[in-house]
Amino acid sequence: MALSCALRCGGRRIVLARSLPLGMSAARCLSTSTALCTPGGRHFRTDLESHPLYEQLPKPEQSAKSKGETKLDAGEQYEDYTMPHVIWGKEEAESVEINHHTPQDKTEKAAYYTVQLLRFSFDLFSGYKFGTMNEITWLRRIIFLETVAGVPGFMGAMVRHLQSLRCFRRDHGWIHTLLEEAENERMHLLTALALRKPSRPYRWAVLATQGIFTNMFFLAYLISPRFCHRFVGYLEEEAVKTYTHCLADIDNGNLKMWAKMPAPDIAINYWQLGENAMMRDVILAIRADEAHHRLVNHTLGGMKPTDKNPFGPGQ
């Protein structure tokens, strides 16, 4: 015999279910559906805790504990809203090597020499090639470079997103990889900012550089995505060299403070480092990220824009 479930609301008879699911009583059906008949005829549930599924959701305390949230500053906690990304093992991070993709044609040569010109100019301007680097000068360099490094992935994803919208076609998976890259570079920046806050003139320099570089890269990606991905690939080659130099300074005793400094909480959570992780482990993880971006962009630079992205989420 089939059972039905109904209630009367405002003089109207509302049928909730003509045939109840197996194992559900009419009383249970009515008790879980009283939100349909509330004063004023509203039918939306306003009390989240009364929802049957609420009990299955992790409580705030449980969520924080499961994610290993730790205090950063007074009253501030780490919150994990990040996209999927690679978590590096110790051996993987230590095994990163400096390598180079030899330019094959005019487009690749243009990308390579553009990067070399930019690196030479920045090294000369920042004093990177003169004397030894200490923790402050390293942070100054890392912060500035990461404000630039976070731009290409985002701009590339934005251009492809707009193309997908106006051309009524699929993106073939490139957008998520580019956004993951942009966020990963931003996490490098936030990690460095946990150790040093830039001055106002420094912020102005970043603002000017970002305005110029963002617009130039946007136009370049519209003209030649292949040039842009090769450009980023060569840029990441230089980043691997830079962080390898930084690791050598730590190992050689030139950065005594970093050699003994525990990793910032934000880095421990993001890269899932051990509780006893040190600053050297952070630099290792960042270098591994840069080597991965090198691989991704050189791979995309050798593909057609309509080819399927070979990198899945977090790969």
Side-chain angles (χ1 to χ4, degrees):
M1 176 179 177
L3 295 176
S4 63
C5 177
L7 58 81
R8 186 167 296 278
C9 178
R12 294 177 299 163
R13 184 173 181 272
I14 301 177
V15 178
L16 303 175
R18 296 189 180 278
S19 180
L20 295 180
L22 184 64
M24 174 179 276
S25 65
R28 183 182 176 189
C29 175
L30 289 171
S31 65
T32 58
S33 305
T34 53
L36 286 172
C37 186
T38 56
R42 292 173 298 166
H43 61 278
F44 295 102
R45 187 182 300 278
T46 58
D47 183 6
L48 179 61
E49 298 205 22
S50 64
H51 196 287
L53 295 178
Y54 180 76
E55 297 302 323
Q56 301 177 21
L57 298 175
K59 299 298 186 294
E61 307 83 31
Q62 296 173 342
S63 178
K65 185 177 180 181
S66 65
K67 291 182 179 180
E69 292 182 0
T70 54
K71 291 288 183 66
L72 299 177
D73 297 317
E76 182 182 359
Q77 285 188 329
Y78 171 79
E79 296 177 335
D80 188 5
Y81 301 113
T82 56
M83 298 178 181
H85 59 95
V86 181
I87 301 299
W88 305 105
K90 184 73 173 179
E91 293 183 2
E92 288 180 302
E94 291 279 6
S95 64
V96 171
E97 297 180 352
I98 296 174
N99 57 41
H100 173 59
H101 170 80
T102 304
Q104 302 296 322
D105 53 27
K106 293 182 179 179
T107 299
E108 294 186 358
K109 289 179 180 179
Y112 174 71
Y113 287 114
T114 301
V115 170
Q116 292 303 306
L117 177 61
L118 291 175
R119 163 127 203 186
F120 175 80
S121 302
F122 183 70
D123 287 352
L124 188 65
F125 176 76
S126 63
Y128 178 73
K129 291 185 176 296
F130 307 106
T132 58
M133 300 278 286
N134 57 33
E135 288 83 358
I136 294 177
T137 52
W138 267 115
L139 280 173
R140 187 181 298 133
R141 180 180 181 86
I142 290 172
I143 290 173
F144 195 91
L145 290 176
E146 295 298 350
T147 61
V148 174
V151 172
F154 183 82
M155 291 306 300
M158 186 191 76
V159 171
R160 291 189 65 92
H161 175 71
L162 294 176
Q163 287 177 339
S164 178
L165 294 178
R166 69 174 178 269
C167 297
F168 311 108
R169 67 187 183 202
R170 299 288 296 273
D171 172 68
H172 307 293
W174 291 46
I175 292 175
H176 72 76
T177 295
L178 297 176
L179 288 177
E180 287 170 12
E181 175 188 310
E183 182 186 69
N184 182 255
E185 298 287 7
R186 184 169 59 87
M187 292 304 296
H188 296 173
L189 172 63
L190 295 178
T191 299
L193 290 176
L195 304 176
R196 180 178 176 81
K197 304 301 181 184
S199 63
R200 184 168 295 179
Y202 190 100
R203 294 170 186 262
W204 290 341
V206 168
L207 178 62
T209 303
Q210 188 180 77
I212 296 171
F213 180 73
T214 299
N215 285 284
M216 291 184 64
F217 195 86
F218 169 69
L219 294 174
Y221 204 94
L222 288 174
I223 298 170
S224 177
R226 180 167 174 264
F227 167 86
C228 290
H229 286 296
R230 287 299 184 190
F231 172 88
V232 177
Y234 291 126
L235 199 66
E236 300 296 358
E237 290 182 6
E238 299 303 318
V240 171
K241 294 178 185 178
T242 297
Y243 284 111
T244 299
H245 181 191
C246 183
L247 287 168
D249 276 358
I250 294 176
D251 295 339
N252 294 335
N254 295 331
L255 303 176
K256 297 180 180 180
M257 184 183 300
W258 279 8
K260 301 178 180 179
M261 179 183 291
D265 290 334
I266 188 173
I268 292 175
N269 284 279
Y270 181 69
W271 284 288
Q272 298 180 19
L273 304 175
E275 294 182 359
N276 299 322
M278 306 298 287
M279 191 62 194
R280 186 180 187 277
D281 298 310
V282 177
I283 301 300
L284 278 173
I286 293 176
R287 185 183 67 167
D289 285 342
E290 306 293 10
H292 181 61
H293 300 327
R294 177 186 63 192
L295 169 65
V296 170
N297 280 279
H298 276 317
T299 301
L300 297 180
M303 297 167 55
K304 297 179 181 179
T306 55
D307 289 344
K308 182 179 179 181
N309 176 20
F311 302 96
Q315 296 181 353

